[in-house]
Amino acid sequence: MKSASSIRDDKSGFTLIEVLIVVAITVIVLTMLYSSFSQLITVKRRVEAENELIQEANTILLKMRHDLVNAFPRGSISSEVSSPSAYSYFTGRLEGDNSRIVFTSFAKDPTHYSTQSGQSEISYYLVPLRGEREDMFALMRKDNYWIGNDEAGAAYPISERVLSFRVNFLSGRSPASANEQEVWEWNSSVMRGFPKAVQVQIILLGAGDQEEAYSMIVAIPVAD
């Protein structure tokens, strides 16, 4: 007959089945923790990408707003002589499905050489990018202090994930109606002045190839 101490010795430790059960439970718990952690990382990256896209869109629109609200005809502010009709100080036109806008502005960039007037010719337009998608563009901003000289000025991209850039103009000069008239092209020499407001519509490529649209309307103070 076995003693009590020997019986306790026989029951000490874990059997192989018990060890396997513990290992299986541990694996399941670790797998669940990893899955939850991986989902958190994915959500975090998606939110960061969305915030980055919103920040980029806001930067573009705020820069354009600053340039547009400072738009002014070429010449001296105090001059009573109208700008020469030979030079269109505010133009917008379609290039395919997208827009190009060129105007003179007092949105002075202190990092560039400035003329005495402090005025510059500012352009926004798209340049195609070479990549997997044929519909990707870089949105360019060009500062040209030598107004009227297309070869002068410095251009740089302010975004390289643009799918669409459209600008239309609110003239407020419809002869048939008191409502504002929207047009896709503008020439200050023909229209005899600035548009009342400019509507900018831009589509950027976000995370997961999601297309995100942003827009704003900017009133042109000098047109009032």
Side-chain angles (χ1 to χ4, degrees):
M1 183 176 180
K2 294 183 178 180
S3 63
S5 60
S6 63
I7 293 175
R8 285 194 298 269
D9 292 340
D10 291 341
K11 291 184 178 181
S12 63
F14 299 98
T15 65
L16 178 60
I17 295 177
E18 290 173 334
V19 171
L20 292 176
I21 291 174
V22 171
V23 171
I25 293 174
T26 303
V27 170
I28 292 173
V29 171
L30 291 177
T31 301
M32 294 175 63
L33 290 174
Y34 176 80
S35 177
S36 299
F37 181 75
S38 178
Q39 290 179 3
L40 288 174
I41 293 297
T42 301
V43 171
K44 179 176 179 292
R45 289 176 178 173
R46 184 172 68 249
V47 171
E48 289 177 345
E50 291 174 353
N51 290 337
E52 181 182 350
L53 188 69
I54 293 173
Q55 182 64 34
E56 183 171 331
N58 287 338
T59 299
I60 295 169
L61 297 180
L62 288 174
K63 186 63 176 175
M64 292 191 67
R65 180 185 294 276
H66 176 70
D67 291 340
L68 287 167
V69 298
N70 286 283
F72 200 87
R74 182 186 183 187
S76 173
I77 293 179
S78 61
S79 175
E80 296 180 358
V81 181
S82 61
S83 299
S85 60
Y87 175 76
S88 297
Y89 52 81
F90 196 107
T91 62
R93 65 177 183 270
L94 290 175
E95 296 182 338
D97 294 329
N98 295 296
S99 299
R100 174 187 289 260
I101 183 172
V102 183
F103 55 95
T104 53
S105 174
F106 279 98
K108 184 178 180 180
D109 185 347
T111 61
H112 291 82
Y113 174 78
S114 174
T115 57
Q116 292 182 351
S117 69
Q119 218 172 358
S120 65
E121 183 182 72
I122 295 177
S123 308
Y124 284 93
Y125 56 93
L126 295 185
V127 172
L129 293 175
R130 295 180 180 179
E132 296 180 359
R133 295 185 55 147
E134 297 180 354
D135 57 346
M136 289 291 294
F137 299 89
L139 176 61
M140 307 296 294
R141 180 184 185 272
K142 181 178 180 181
D143 285 321
N144 182 9
Y145 290 99
W146 300 101
I147 299 175
N149 182 358
D150 293 339
E151 301 300 323
Y156 60 91
I158 58 177
S159 176
E160 295 186 348
R161 46 178 167 183
V162 179
L163 297 174
S164 175
F165 172 64
R166 295 291 298 269
V167 179
N168 67 61
F169 309 97
L170 309 179
S171 67
R173 299 178 180 179
S174 174
S177 172
N179 296 329
E180 295 175 347
Q181 182 182 16
E182 296 184 10
V183 293
W184 290 104
E185 296 192 330
W186 191 273
N187 187 315
S188 56
S189 296
V190 176
M191 307 297 284
R192 298 187 180 277
F194 283 96
K196 184 177 181 180
V198 176
Q199 182 179 31
V200 179
Q201 303 170 345
I202 187 168
I203 299 177
L204 302 180
L205 184 66
D209 288 339
Q210 293 292 321
E211 299 181 6
E212 302 291 342
Y214 304 88
S215 66
M216 71 174 178
I217 296 179
V218 182
I220 308 298
V222 76
D224 295 333

